[in-house]
Amino acid sequence: MRKLLPPPGPLRPLALATLLSRVGNGLLMTISVLYFNRIIGLSIAEVGLGLTVAGLFGLLAGIPFGHLADRRGPRTLFVILSLLLSVLALLYLVIGTFWQFLVVASVIAILDRGSNAVRFALIAGVTQGSAARVSARAYLRSMTNIGVTAGAGLGAVALSFGTATSYRLMFCVYVVLGVISAFVVLAVPRVAPRPKPADGPVWIALRDRGYLAVSGLNAAISIHYSVIDVAIPLWVVDHTDAPHWAAALPLIVNAAGVAVLQVRASRGIVDTVSAARATRTAGLLLLASMVLFATASVGDAAIAIAVLAVAALVQTAGELLQSSGSFLLGFDLATEQAQGQYQGVWNTSTSVSSMLAPTVMALLPLGLGVPGWIVLGAWFALTGALFVPVVRWAAARQLVGSR
């Protein structure tokens, strides 16, 4: 466990806060849809529509909240947003109609995406240099995986009871964890507001074509995060001879691998060149894993289980490299005086990816079968290869702009 903790300093309370809040997130990820459907009485279609609309509103939050973090300082703003996000979740306990659900979900999505951008600005503010920032993101991602896994276990307890009281109690646990984690962040040193540029446009991140291009590639390759939790369960159940429990095997391998190896995987990522090359390698590994997942449909149960395990290992290796490269590129290609604003752009790219990914999974691997897996893998390999020239171009533009 000691290897999973960052060295003493401001990242320690951030790691603890991340662990606590992600336990709450994992808990809600496990129970929320069933709560909205079975307890509140919303249809699955209404839940899906409400969360989609809320996600669209959330897309608008990252950049302005990131800009506000630049101007006012990220620590206090992050604490305020975290407290609001936690307390407003209590409104889910009193809503009874679709429109009430839509309003609450939209406000929470805005605060959630805004707080993510501010959180990245806070990380940039308490760390100096590429290596330190990549290491910080790696440590915090390990904490995220541990927390989400633990939260899912707590959520499973509520599901085993299946009562309205057990569901509502889990929302209260989420709120308590969120409030505690917000106050823990107060142990992080205050980060001063970044100096406002004397002249030039306000929204410089939206004018930075190099950064926008790399952010777009990041969104394109980040679709792979939905393979494990969206495509694999249905693929295993409907297209392989593996027992149904094997649908959880890739998720377990991935969660454990990221929790234990993310920090180590990030150590070789020291500049934009190494980050781009790591992402190129990640694309090839993701291609190989997609081919292996497709191959799981051929053979008996034992072969399918073995292939799924190997595919999950390869996919996890690709994810570790891709995420490590993403950590560095998001920070290093940004203008230092506007890290919050730039992190808002980066956070928005991952949000777009999360919204599009389920549709991509439905159309390609789940819709076309084996050919769809191959197409998806080729997409990852091509996108990964594009990182090298596009990052080189973006870094050159950044160098020219800083002179």
Side-chain angles (χ1 to χ4, degrees), residues 363-397:
L363 292 175
L364 290 178
L366 298 178
L368 299 179
V370 171
W373 283 109
I374 306 302
V375 171
L376 185 61
W379 171 264
F380 293 143
L382 175 61
T383 306
L386 287 174
F387 266 84
V388 173
V390 174
V391 167
R392 186 187 304 120
W393 170 68
R397 283 178 52 86

Side-chain angles (χ1 to χ4, degrees), residues 35 40 86-96 100 104 107-108:
Y35 169 78
I40 296 180
S86 300
V87 174
L88 286 177
L90 289 173
L91 293 176
Y92 281 133
L93 302 181
V94 297
I95 63 174
Q100 291 172 340
V104 174
V107 172
I108 287 178

Side-chain angles (χ1 to χ4, degrees), residues 273-364:
V273 174
S274 58
R277 289 174 177 170
T279 310
R280 179 178 60 189
T281 302
L284 296 175
L285 289 170
L286 291 172
L287 168 60
S289 68
M290 298 304 108
V291 173
L292 286 168
F293 281 130
T295 306
S297 63
V298 180
D300 59 18
I303 292 175
I305 292 173
V307 171
L308 286 169
V310 174
L313 287 171
V314 176
Q315 189 271 344
T316 300
E319 178 177 327
L320 290 169
L321 287 177
Q322 183 274 321
S323 57
S324 297
S326 174
F327 297 159
L328 184 138
L329 294 173
F331 286 126
D332 264 31
L333 293 176
T335 298
E336 195 63 28
Q337 288 74 24
Q339 277 286 355
Q341 190 181 138
Y342 274 82
Q343 298 316 309
V345 171
W346 201 258
N347 187 58
T348 299
S349 78
T350 58
S351 299
V352 171
S353 180
S354 298
M355 289 182 60
L356 296 178
T359 301
V360 173
M361 297 301 121
L363 292 175
L364 290 178

Side-chain angles (χ1 to χ4, degrees), residues 25-294:
N25 285 6
L27 196 159
L28 286 198
M29 286 166 60
T30 306
I31 69 161
S32 58
V33 172
L34 290 173
Y35 169 78
F36 298 141
N37 175 240
R38 296 181 179 179
I39 307 303
I40 296 180
L42 302 177
S43 69
I44 293 298
E46 287 176 325
V47 174
L49 176 61
L51 293 178
T52 299
V53 173
L56 290 173
F57 279 110
L59 289 179
L60 305 176
I63 299 173
F65 274 106
H67 177 66
L68 186 61
D70 290 329
R71 301 283 75 83
R72 301 296 183 184
R75 191 198 66 172
T76 303
L77 179 59
F78 179 67
V79 171
I80 293 172
L81 291 175
S82 298
L83 288 172
L84 287 173
L85 186 61
S86 300
V87 174
L88 286 177
L90 289 173
L91 293 176
Y92 281 133
L93 302 181
V94 297
I95 63 174
T97 68
F98 168 73
W99 294 108
Q100 291 172 340
F101 166 67
L102 180 62
V103 171
V104 174
S106 297
V107 172
I108 287 178
I110 290 170
L111 293 176
D112 179 59
R113 291 305 173 187
S115 67
N116 271 340
V118 176
R119 175 173 171 263
F120 294 161
L122 179 58
I123 295 170
V126 298
T127 54
Q128 296 295 325
S130 303
R133 286 171 176 171
V134 172
S135 178
R137 287 291 308 276
Y139 279 117
L140 296 180
R141 188 159 190 258
S142 292
M143 290 295 103
T144 293
N145 268 48
I146 294 170
V148 168
T149 302
L154 285 176
V157 174
L159 295 180
S160 68
F161 287 97
T163 63
T165 299
S166 65
Y167 283 110
R168 291 186 174 116
L169 179 61
M170 292 299 102
F171 274 92
C172 293
V173 172
Y174 166 82
V175 172
V176 171
L177 290 171
V179 170
I180 294 173
S181 70
F183 283 114
V184 167
V185 174
L186 290 176
V188 177
R190 182 178 178 273
V191 176
R194 296 184 180 273
K196 185 177 181 180
D199 52 14
V202 174
W203 303 105
I204 57 174
L206 295 177
R207 292 170 173 261
D208 191 333
R209 289 183 291 174
Y211 195 87
L212 293 175
V214 178
S215 297
L217 288 178
N218 183 63
I221 201 168
S222 293
I223 287 173
H224 75 82
Y225 288 108
S226 292
V227 169
I228 294 292
D229 58 353
V230 176
I232 290 301
L234 292 172
W235 180 253
V236 170
V237 171
D238 295 338
H239 299 278
T240 77
D241 291 330
H244 288 187
W245 62 260
L249 179 60
L251 179 60
I252 293 171
V253 171
N254 179 266
V258 171
V260 174
L261 298 174
Q262 184 67 75
V263 175
R264 180 174 297 178
S266 70
R267 287 174 182 162
I269 313 298
V270 296
D271 54 25
T272 57
V273 174
S274 58
R277 289 174 177 170
T279 310
R280 179 178 60 189
T281 302
L284 296 175
L285 289 170
L286 291 172
L287 168 60
S289 68
M290 298 304 108
V291 173
L292 286 168
F293 281 130

